[in-house]
């Protein structure tokens, strides 16, 4: 099984771009808008409390939540992105989900995997850890590339979200919902 140090080698310094952004300014504006919309989506389901973003990247979603009064924590394997998130949020960022559990006694009203679950060598274990960190009735958010979606079918081997070797697992519209339902989640 791939460990965190090996995974980290797949994310070179260009993965998150230079400086504070990765893309040209119009794309960066769209990214900020999408992260604001993510924060607002969480706000619809979780009035206040603690939110954990696994694979938080530069910490933009967490920043929008923090600005709205939420307590936030992030997990980010990539060193450059973790440093940016730490600067953005003015707080430390966890390097692995296991580090969060090791800290102990933290419970979250929401745990989010925004296009990060497919980067993990054992998504089942990650989801079990996330489940142990959620308060009863908490919100678990999962967004992942859709292996059977139209972009995948049209692009074939050139599909952007194949992203080997960083995407270790690909989900279809049956396996992930079945896994979550078997774990007792209401979709």
């Amino acid at each position: 099984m791939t460990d965190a140090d090996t995974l980290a080698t797949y994310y070179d310094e260009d993965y998150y771009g230079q400086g504070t952004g990765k893309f040209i300014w119009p794309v960066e504006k769209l990214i900020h808008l999408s992260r604001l919309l993510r924060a607002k989506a969480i706000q619809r389901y979780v009035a206040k409390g603690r939110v954990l973003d696994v694979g938080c990247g530069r910490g933009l979603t967490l920043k929008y939540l923090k600005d709205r009064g939420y307590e936030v924590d992030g997990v980010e394997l990539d060193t450059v992105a973790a440093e940016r998130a730490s600067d953005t949020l003015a707080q430390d960022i966890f390097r692995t989900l296991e580090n969060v559990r090791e800290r102990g006694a933290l419970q979250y009203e929401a745990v989010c995997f925004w296009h990060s679950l497919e980067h993990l060598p054992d998504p089942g274990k990650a989801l079990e850890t996330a489940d142990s960190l959620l308060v009863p009735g908490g919100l678990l958010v999962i967004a992942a590339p859709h292996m059977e979606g139209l972009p995948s079918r049209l692009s074939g081997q050139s599909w952007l979200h194949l992203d080997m070797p960083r995407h270790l697992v690909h989900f279809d519209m049956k396996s992930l919902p079945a896994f979550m339902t078997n774990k007792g989640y209401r979709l």
Side-chain angles (χ1 to χ4, degrees), residues 11-151:
Y11 300 87
D12 63 22
E13 59 189 38
D14 291 330
Y15 186 76
Y16 281 101
Q18 303 296 321
T20 59
K22 178 176 182 175
F23 302 103
I24 59 174
W25 73 266
V27 176
E28 282 294 324
K29 290 289 184 192
L30 287 173
I31 289 170
H32 278 265
L33 176 61
S34 74
R35 298 326 183 252
L36 174 61
L37 294 174
R38 286 178 179 179
K40 287 183 176 187
I42 291 171
Q43 198 170 13
R44 281 195 301 270
Y45 294 99
V46 177
K48 287 289 179 234
R50 294 184 70 87
V51 177
L52 176 66
D53 188 357
V54 181
C56 69
R58 296 180 274 165
L60 300 176
T61 301
L62 292 175
K63 175 72 168 123
Y64 286 116
L65 287 166
K66 192 172 186 177
D67 290 348
R68 286 168 170 69
Y70 290 82
E71 294 178 59
V72 300
D73 284 313
V75 175
E76 181 54 57
L77 176 65
D78 181 74
T79 304
V80 172
E83 288 172 4
R84 288 183 188 164
S86 181
D87 290 345
T88 297
L89 299 168
Q91 68 185 61
D92 290 336
I93 299 298
F94 292 101
R95 295 308 303 277
T96 68
L97 192 53
E98 195 58 39
N99 293 150
V100 179
R101 184 173 27 194
E102 289 167 359
R103 185 162 169 200
L106 290 177
Q107 290 282 281
Y108 296 92
E109 279 68 33
V111 176
C112 307
F113 293 88
W114 303 101
H115 285 265
S116 59
L117 194 58
E118 65 273 13
H119 291 257
L120 302 176
D122 190 344
K125 182 179 177 188
L127 291 171
E128 288 176 7
T129 301
D131 186 61
S132 73
L133 296 169
L134 276 172
V135 299
L139 177 70
L140 180 62
V141 178
I142 301 171
H146 178 13
M147 188 68 175
E148 297 167 340
L150 183 61

